[in-house]
Amino acid sequence: MDDVGIEYQTVLGYPPVDFVHLAADLGCHAISMKARTGSHNPYNPYGYGEFSFLDNPGLRRQMAAALNDRGVSISLAEGFVVVPGADLTDEQASLDVMWELGASRANAVTLDPDRGRSFDQFAAFAEAAAERGMQTTLEFAKSLALSDLDSALAAVRYVGRTDFRLLIDTMHLVRSGSTAEDLAAVDTSLFGYVQLSDTTLHQRGPAYRDDSSDRSVPGEGELPLAEIMAALPEWLPVGVEAPMRSRAAQGMPARECARLAVEGARAVLAEVRAMPR
């Protein structure tokens, strides 16, 4: 927790090469990234274009060069989703692209209500990632089929691999009903990554995902971030996930939103370091 990275969701569709330069300009050495954007993104207030590393070798080369030149790495490859009737290991091409760009881990979520099938999909995906030298994390949220800490822990224990661990998003943790005390009771070896985010304690509108795309500067919301972070292992990589759709809609540039998010995250981590451990 000595440094903070920037999650791609924070910049709401920013062009990936420009994102690398933005992170470096803010003194961040890690980012999360996906292999491609979807065909429909309702949370794109800046109107950025779609991209695909799979279909654009030139973009891959530009991205690799920017990462190398600016000393930035991809700490988390995102966009891997278990859905009914599809095999997550069909995303081998996306894994290959993210491995080529140096991603150290891949994050998976599930929208499949069949828990047993989801667990088996996670196991197969973790194996595929490991064949590329990548770790795997599992994220839970109220909007997903695995909606809380206990169900995510059950998946991690089912897969039973030391390179398949929990991703804790502080918003999703609190909104699903868990606390810092719950985290402190978990074996620290089961944690793999933390996304630092802030928001209100309670959902503001009818759609949970709307809240997820419009968060607060870390430290300016209502979540007990210092207590949560203090309950997690100090060695966990941290990425700030603070998309601010309302501020973007009001004209705040993505670079300024990212700067506020990073500065807020650093202030929270400084507070944690000052706490007795």
Side-chain angles (χ1 to χ4, degrees), residues 147-172:
S147 59
D148 56 26
L149 179 63
D150 287 343
S151 61
L153 280 169
V156 169
R157 289 169 176 146
Y158 175 87
V159 173
R161 299 178 60 104
T162 58
D163 56 3
F164 182 77
R165 295 182 287 176
L166 284 174
L167 182 151
I168 300 296
D169 180 309
T170 56
M171 171 185 173
H172 301 327

PDB file of all heavy atoms in Angstrom, residues 147-172:
ATOM      1  N   SER A 147     -22.603 -11.965  -4.615  1.00  0.00           N
ATOM      2  CA  SER A 147     -22.973 -10.622  -4.181  1.00  0.00           C
ATOM      3  C   SER A 147     -22.364 -10.189  -2.859  1.00  0.00           C
ATOM      4  O   SER A 147     -22.543  -9.038  -2.457  1.00  0.00           O
ATOM      5  CB  SER A 147     -24.503 -10.519  -4.076  1.00  0.00           C
ATOM      6  OG  SER A 147     -25.000 -11.476  -3.150  1.00  0.00           O
ATOM      7  N   ASP A 148     -21.629 -11.088  -2.195  1.00  0.00           N
ATOM      8  CA  ASP A 148     -21.100 -10.703  -0.891  1.00  0.00           C
ATOM      9  C   ASP A 148     -19.797 -11.440  -0.595  1.00  0.00           C
ATOM     10  O   ASP A 148     -19.353 -12.307  -1.354  1.00  0.00           O
ATOM     11  CB  ASP A 148     -22.127 -10.959   0.223  1.00  0.00           C
ATOM     12  CG  ASP A 148     -22.625 -12.397   0.271  1.00  0.00           C
ATOM     13  OD1 ASP A 148     -21.902 -13.309  -0.174  1.00  0.00           O
ATOM     14  OD2 ASP A 148     -23.749 -12.617   0.748  1.00  0.00           O
ATOM     15  N   LEU A 149     -19.186 -11.065   0.505  1.00  0.00           N
ATOM     16  CA  LEU A 149     -17.884 -11.616   0.881  1.00  0.00           C
ATOM     17  C   LEU A 149     -17.943 -13.118   1.089  1.00  0.00           C
ATOM     18  O   LEU A 149     -17.054 -13.852   0.634  1.00  0.00           O
ATOM     19  CB  LEU A 149     -17.394 -10.912   2.154  1.00  0.00           C
ATOM     20  CG  LEU A 149     -16.052 -11.375   2.734  1.00  0.00           C
ATOM     21  CD1 LEU A 149     -14.912 -11.122   1.748  1.00  0.00           C
ATOM     22  CD2 LEU A 149     -15.781 -10.644   4.059  1.00  0.00           C
ATOM     23  N   ASP A 150     -18.970 -13.605   1.746  1.00  0.00           N
ATOM     24  CA  ASP A 150     -19.046 -15.037   2.051  1.00  0.00           C
ATOM     25  C   ASP A 150     -19.130 -15.875   0.777  1.00  0.00           C
ATOM     26  O   ASP A 150     -18.480 -16.922   0.664  1.00  0.00           O
ATOM     27  CB  ASP A 150     -20.244 -15.325   2.962  1.00  0.00           C
ATOM     28  CG  ASP A 150     -20.026 -14.858   4.392  1.00  0.00           C
ATOM     29  OD1 ASP A 150     -18.858 -14.612   4.754  1.00  0.00           O
ATOM     30  OD2 ASP A 150     -21.019 -14.725   5.131  1.00  0.00           O
ATOM     31  N   SER A 151     -19.935 -15.444  -0.187  1.00  0.00           N
ATOM     32  CA  SER A 151     -20.065 -16.227  -1.417  1.00  0.00           C
ATOM     33  C   SER A 151     -18.772 -16.188  -2.227  1.00  0.00           C
ATOM     34  O   SER A 151     -18.391 -17.193  -2.851  1.00  0.00           O
ATOM     35  CB  SER A 151     -21.238 -15.719  -2.252  1.00  0.00           C
ATOM     36  OG  SER A 151     -21.069 -14.366  -2.630  1.00  0.00           O
ATOM     37  N   ALA A 152     -18.076 -15.064  -2.202  1.00  0.00           N
ATOM     38  CA  ALA A 152     -16.797 -14.978  -2.898  1.00  0.00           C
ATOM     39  C   ALA A 152     -15.748 -15.858  -2.224  1.00  0.00           C
ATOM     40  O   ALA A 152     -14.955 -16.526  -2.906  1.00  0.00           O
ATOM     41  CB  ALA A 152     -16.326 -13.531  -2.954  1.00  0.00           C
ATOM     42  N   LEU A 153     -15.735 -15.867  -0.910  1.00  0.00           N
ATOM     43  CA  LEU A 153     -14.809 -16.742  -0.188  1.00  0.00           C
ATOM     44  C   LEU A 153     -15.081 -18.207  -0.506  1.00  0.00           C
ATOM     45  O   LEU A 153     -14.147 -19.011  -0.636  1.00  0.00           O
ATOM     46  CB  LEU A 153     -14.928 -16.503   1.323  1.00  0.00           C
ATOM     47  CG  LEU A 153     -14.202 -15.286   1.877  1.00  0.00           C
ATOM     48  CD1 LEU A 153     -14.628 -15.031   3.315  1.00  0.00           C
ATOM     49  CD2 LEU A 153     -12.688 -15.483   1.794  1.00  0.00           C
ATOM     50  N   ALA A 154     -16.347 -18.558  -0.643  1.00  0.00           N
ATOM     51  CA  ALA A 154     -16.684 -19.940  -0.994  1.00  0.00           C
ATOM     52  C   ALA A 154     -16.099 -20.302  -2.359  1.00  0.00           C
ATOM     53  O   ALA A 154     -15.586 -21.422  -2.551  1.00  0.00           O
ATOM     54  CB  ALA A 154     -18.201 -20.115  -1.001  1.00  0.00           C
ATOM     55  N   ALA A 155     -16.124 -19.381  -3.294  1.00  0.00           N
ATOM     56  CA  ALA A 155     -15.546 -19.639  -4.615  1.00  0.00           C
ATOM     57  C   ALA A 155     -14.040 -19.805  -4.533  1.00  0.00           C
ATOM     58  O   ALA A 155     -13.459 -20.711  -5.156  1.00  0.00           O
ATOM     59  CB  ALA A 155     -15.902 -18.494  -5.566  1.00  0.00           C
ATOM     60  N   VAL A 156     -13.378 -18.932  -3.785  1.00  0.00           N
ATOM     61  CA  VAL A 156     -11.921 -19.008  -3.658  1.00  0.00           C
ATOM     62  C   VAL A 156     -11.518 -20.334  -3.024  1.00  0.00           C
ATOM     63  O   VAL A 156     -10.559 -20.995  -3.466  1.00  0.00           O
ATOM     64  CB  VAL A 156     -11.396 -17.819  -2.838  1.00  0.00           C
ATOM     65  CG1 VAL A 156      -9.930 -18.012  -2.475  1.00  0.00           C
ATOM     66  CG2 VAL A 156     -11.573 -16.519  -3.621  1.00  0.00           C
ATOM     67  N   ARG A 157     -12.237 -20.749  -2.024  1.00  0.00           N
ATOM     68  CA  ARG A 157     -11.903 -22.011  -1.353  1.00  0.00           C
ATOM     69  C   ARG A 157     -12.207 -23.202  -2.250  1.00  0.00           C
ATOM     70  O   ARG A 157     -11.495 -24.213  -2.213  1.00  0.00           O
ATOM     71  CB  ARG A 157     -12.662 -22.088  -0.027  1.00  0.00           C
ATOM     72  CG  ARG A 157     -12.104 -21.109   1.011  1.00  0.00           C
ATOM     73  CD  ARG A 157     -12.990 -20.971   2.210  1.00  0.00           C
ATOM     74  NE  ARG A 157     -12.383 -20.100   3.227  1.00  0.00           N
ATOM     75  CZ  ARG A 157     -13.058 -19.285   4.020  1.00  0.00           C
ATOM     76  NH1 ARG A 157     -14.378 -19.230   3.945  1.00  0.00           N
ATOM     77  NH2 ARG A 157     -12.422 -18.532   4.902  1.00  0.00           N
ATOM     78  N   TYR A 158     -13.240 -23.111  -3.062  1.00  0.00           N
ATOM     79  CA  TYR A 158     -13.563 -24.192  -3.997  1.00  0.00           C
ATOM     80  C   TYR A 158     -12.445 -24.361  -5.021  1.00  0.00           C
ATOM     81  O   TYR A 158     -12.004 -25.483  -5.301  1.00  0.00           O
ATOM     82  CB  TYR A 158     -14.887 -23.890  -4.697  1.00  0.00           C
ATOM     83  CG  TYR A 158     -15.254 -24.884  -5.768  1.00  0.00           C
ATOM     84  CD1 TYR A 158     -15.958 -26.034  -5.459  1.00  0.00           C
ATOM     85  CD2 TYR A 158     -14.907 -24.661  -7.108  1.00  0.00           C
ATOM     86  CE1 TYR A 158     -16.304 -26.955  -6.437  1.00  0.00           C
ATOM     87  CE2 TYR A 158     -15.239 -25.573  -8.097  1.00  0.00           C
ATOM     88  CZ  TYR A 158     -15.938 -26.721  -7.758  1.00  0.00           C
ATOM     89  OH  TYR A 158     -16.268 -27.629  -8.725  1.00  0.00           O
ATOM     90  N   VAL A 159     -12.003 -23.255  -5.613  1.00  0.00           N
ATOM     91  CA  VAL A 159     -10.933 -23.331  -6.612  1.00  0.00           C
ATOM     92  C   VAL A 159      -9.650 -23.835  -5.976  1.00  0.00           C
ATOM     93  O   VAL A 159      -8.918 -24.641  -6.553  1.00  0.00           O
ATOM     94  CB  VAL A 159     -10.740 -21.965  -7.294  1.00  0.00           C
ATOM     95  CG1 VAL A 159      -9.525 -21.984  -8.217  1.00  0.00           C
ATOM     96  CG2 VAL A 159     -11.996 -21.584  -8.079  1.00  0.00           C
ATOM     97  N   GLY A 160      -9.337 -23.358  -4.776  1.00  0.00           N
ATOM     98  CA  GLY A 160      -8.237 -23.911  -3.995  1.00  0.00           C
ATOM     99  C   GLY A 160      -6.853 -23.701  -4.576  1.00  0.00           C
ATOM    100  O   GLY A 160      -5.983 -24.562  -4.440  1.00  0.00           O
ATOM    101  N   ARG A 161      -6.624 -22.573  -5.217  1.00  0.00           N
ATOM    102  CA  ARG A 161      -5.312 -22.248  -5.787  1.00  0.00           C
ATOM    103  C   ARG A 161      -4.742 -21.035  -5.059  1.00  0.00           C
ATOM    104  O   ARG A 161      -5.463 -20.076  -4.772  1.00  0.00           O
ATOM    105  CB  ARG A 161      -5.436 -21.910  -7.278  1.00  0.00           C
ATOM    106  CG  ARG A 161      -5.965 -23.008  -8.157  1.00  0.00           C
ATOM    107  CD  ARG A 161      -6.065 -22.504  -9.603  1.00  0.00           C
ATOM    108  NE  ARG A 161      -4.761 -22.106 -10.100  1.00  0.00           N
ATOM    109  CZ  ARG A 161      -4.032 -22.819 -10.953  1.00  0.00           C
ATOM    110  NH1 ARG A 161      -4.486 -23.973 -11.409  1.00  0.00           N
ATOM    111  NH2 ARG A 161      -2.864 -22.384 -11.367  1.00  0.00           N
ATOM    112  N   THR A 162      -3.449 -21.050  -4.829  1.00  0.00           N
ATOM    113  CA  THR A 162      -2.823 -19.901  -4.167  1.00  0.00           C
ATOM    114  C   THR A 162      -2.753 -18.684  -5.079  1.00  0.00           C
ATOM    115  O   THR A 162      -2.536 -17.570  -4.593  1.00  0.00           O
ATOM    116  CB  THR A 162      -1.404 -20.256  -3.687  1.00  0.00           C
ATOM    117  OG1 THR A 162      -0.614 -20.678  -4.822  1.00  0.00           O
ATOM    118  CG2 THR A 162      -1.448 -21.364  -2.655  1.00  0.00           C
ATOM    119  N   ASP A 163      -2.938 -18.886  -6.389  1.00  0.00           N
ATOM    120  CA  ASP A 163      -2.914 -17.760  -7.325  1.00  0.00           C
ATOM    121  C   ASP A 163      -4.318 -17.323  -7.738  1.00  0.00           C
ATOM    122  O   ASP A 163      -4.495 -16.592  -8.704  1.00  0.00           O
ATOM    123  CB  ASP A 163      -2.090 -18.092  -8.569  1.00  0.00           C
ATOM    124  CG  ASP A 163      -2.566 -19.344  -9.295  1.00  0.00           C
ATOM    125  OD1 ASP A 163      -3.583 -19.938  -8.868  1.00  0.00           O
ATOM    126  OD2 ASP A 163      -1.926 -19.741 -10.289  1.00  0.00           O
ATOM    127  N   PHE A 164      -5.343 -17.760  -7.000  1.00  0.00           N
ATOM    128  CA  PHE A 164      -6.728 -17.336  -7.217  1.00  0.00           C
ATOM    129  C   PHE A 164      -7.242 -16.757  -5.908  1.00  0.00           C
ATOM    130  O   PHE A 164      -7.500 -17.488  -4.952  1.00  0.00           O
ATOM    131  CB  PHE A 164      -7.594 -18.515  -7.662  1.00  0.00           C
ATOM    132  CG  PHE A 164      -9.032 -18.139  -7.952  1.00  0.00           C
ATOM    133  CD1 PHE A 164      -9.370 -17.490  -9.126  1.00  0.00           C
ATOM    134  CD2 PHE A 164     -10.038 -18.438  -7.044  1.00  0.00           C
ATOM    135  CE1 PHE A 164     -10.694 -17.150  -9.391  1.00  0.00           C
ATOM    136  CE2 PHE A 164     -11.358 -18.110  -7.304  1.00  0.00           C
ATOM    137  CZ  PHE A 164     -11.688 -17.450  -8.475  1.00  0.00           C
ATOM    138  N   ARG A 165      -7.376 -15.430  -5.874  1.00  0.00           N
ATOM    139  CA  ARG A 165      -7.653 -14.778  -4.598  1.00  0.00           C
ATOM    140  C   ARG A 165      -8.710 -13.686  -4.746  1.00  0.00           C
ATOM    141  O   ARG A 165      -9.139 -13.364  -5.844  1.00  0.00           O
ATOM    142  CB  ARG A 165      -6.356 -14.189  -4.028  1.00  0.00           C
ATOM    143  CG  ARG A 165      -5.329 -15.272  -3.682  1.00  0.00           C
ATOM    144  CD  ARG A 165      -4.060 -14.693  -3.084  1.00  0.00           C
ATOM    145  NE  ARG A 165      -3.243 -14.006  -4.075  1.00  0.00           N
ATOM    146  CZ  ARG A 165      -2.126 -13.348  -3.786  1.00  0.00           C
ATOM    147  NH1 ARG A 165      -1.712 -13.246  -2.538  1.00  0.00           N
ATOM    148  NH2 ARG A 165      -1.421 -12.760  -4.742  1.00  0.00           N
ATOM    149  N   LEU A 166      -9.090 -13.120  -3.633  1.00  0.00           N
ATOM    150  CA  LEU A 166     -10.156 -12.128  -3.594  1.00  0.00           C
ATOM    151  C   LEU A 166      -9.693 -10.748  -4.030  1.00  0.00           C
ATOM    152  O   LEU A 166      -8.615 -10.288  -3.632  1.00  0.00           O
ATOM    153  CB  LEU A 166     -10.698 -11.998  -2.166  1.00  0.00           C
ATOM    154  CG  LEU A 166     -11.619 -13.086  -1.630  1.00  0.00           C
ATOM    155  CD1 LEU A 166     -11.908 -12.804  -0.160  1.00  0.00           C
ATOM    156  CD2 LEU A 166     -12.917 -13.126  -2.421  1.00  0.00           C
ATOM    157  N   LEU A 167     -10.518 -10.091  -4.804  1.00  0.00           N
ATOM    158  CA  LEU A 167     -10.387  -8.661  -5.025  1.00  0.00           C
ATOM    159  C   LEU A 167     -11.435  -7.978  -4.162  1.00  0.00           C
ATOM    160  O   LEU A 167     -12.628  -8.310  -4.228  1.00  0.00           O
ATOM    161  CB  LEU A 167     -10.607  -8.317  -6.500  1.00  0.00           C
ATOM    162  CG  LEU A 167     -10.455  -6.833  -6.882  1.00  0.00           C
ATOM    163  CD1 LEU A 167      -9.977  -6.705  -8.339  1.00  0.00           C
ATOM    164  CD2 LEU A 167     -11.759  -6.054  -6.714  1.00  0.00           C
ATOM    165  N   ILE A 168     -10.997  -7.031  -3.349  1.00  0.00           N
ATOM    166  CA  ILE A 168     -11.907  -6.278  -2.492  1.00  0.00           C
ATOM    167  C   ILE A 168     -12.087  -4.877  -3.059  1.00  0.00           C
ATOM    168  O   ILE A 168     -11.127  -4.107  -3.144  1.00  0.00           O
ATOM    169  CB  ILE A 168     -11.372  -6.187  -1.044  1.00  0.00           C
ATOM    170  CG1 ILE A 168     -11.194  -7.577  -0.434  1.00  0.00           C
ATOM    171  CG2 ILE A 168     -12.296  -5.319  -0.176  1.00  0.00           C
ATOM    172  CD1 ILE A 168     -12.472  -8.363  -0.272  1.00  0.00           C
ATOM    173  N   ASP A 169     -13.291  -4.568  -3.492  1.00  0.00           N
ATOM    174  CA  ASP A 169     -13.663  -3.202  -3.855  1.00  0.00           C
ATOM    175  C   ASP A 169     -14.363  -2.628  -2.622  1.00  0.00           C
ATOM    176  O   ASP A 169     -15.372  -3.172  -2.160  1.00  0.00           O
ATOM    177  CB  ASP A 169     -14.594  -3.210  -5.071  1.00  0.00           C
ATOM    178  CG  ASP A 169     -15.023  -1.822  -5.514  1.00  0.00           C
ATOM    179  OD1 ASP A 169     -15.505  -1.037  -4.663  1.00  0.00           O
ATOM    180  OD2 ASP A 169     -14.902  -1.499  -6.714  1.00  0.00           O
ATOM    181  N   THR A 170     -13.853  -1.531  -2.090  1.00  0.00           N
ATOM    182  CA  THR A 170     -14.368  -1.030  -0.810  1.00  0.00           C
ATOM    183  C   THR A 170     -15.836  -0.636  -0.893  1.00  0.00           C
ATOM    184  O   THR A 170     -16.586  -0.812   0.076  1.00  0.00           O
ATOM    185  CB  THR A 170     -13.511   0.143  -0.306  1.00  0.00           C
ATOM    186  OG1 THR A 170     -13.466   1.176  -1.296  1.00  0.00           O
ATOM    187  CG2 THR A 170     -12.095  -0.312   0.016  1.00  0.00           C
ATOM    188  N   MET A 171     -16.266  -0.121  -2.031  1.00  0.00           N
ATOM    189  CA  MET A 171     -17.690   0.195  -2.183  1.00  0.00           C
ATOM    190  C   MET A 171     -18.534  -1.069  -2.110  1.00  0.00           C
ATOM    191  O   MET A 171     -19.518  -1.145  -1.361  1.00  0.00           O
ATOM    192  CB  MET A 171     -17.935   0.901  -3.518  1.00  0.00           C
ATOM    193  CG  MET A 171     -19.414   1.068  -3.857  1.00  0.00           C
ATOM    194  SD  MET A 171     -19.692   1.787  -5.501  1.00  0.00           S
ATOM    195  CE  MET A 171     -21.486   1.627  -5.604  1.00  0.00           C
ATOM    196  N   HIS A 172     -18.154  -2.069  -2.907  1.00  0.00           N
ATOM    197  CA  HIS A 172     -18.947  -3.302  -2.957  1.00  0.00           C
ATOM    198  C   HIS A 172     -18.922  -4.025  -1.608  1.00  0.00           C
ATOM    199  O   HIS A 172     -19.917  -4.644  -1.218  1.00  0.00           O
ATOM    200  CB  HIS A 172     -18.436  -4.217  -4.053  1.00  0.00           C
ATOM    201  CG  HIS A 172     -18.468  -3.588  -5.419  1.00  0.00           C
ATOM    202  ND1 HIS A 172     -19.440  -2.688  -5.792  1.00  0.00           N
ATOM    203  CD2 HIS A 172     -17.643  -3.727  -6.499  1.00  0.00           C
ATOM    204  CE1 HIS A 172     -19.224  -2.301  -7.046  1.00  0.00           C
ATOM    205  NE2 HIS A 172     -18.146  -2.909  -7.492  1.00  0.00           N
TER     206      HIS A 172
END
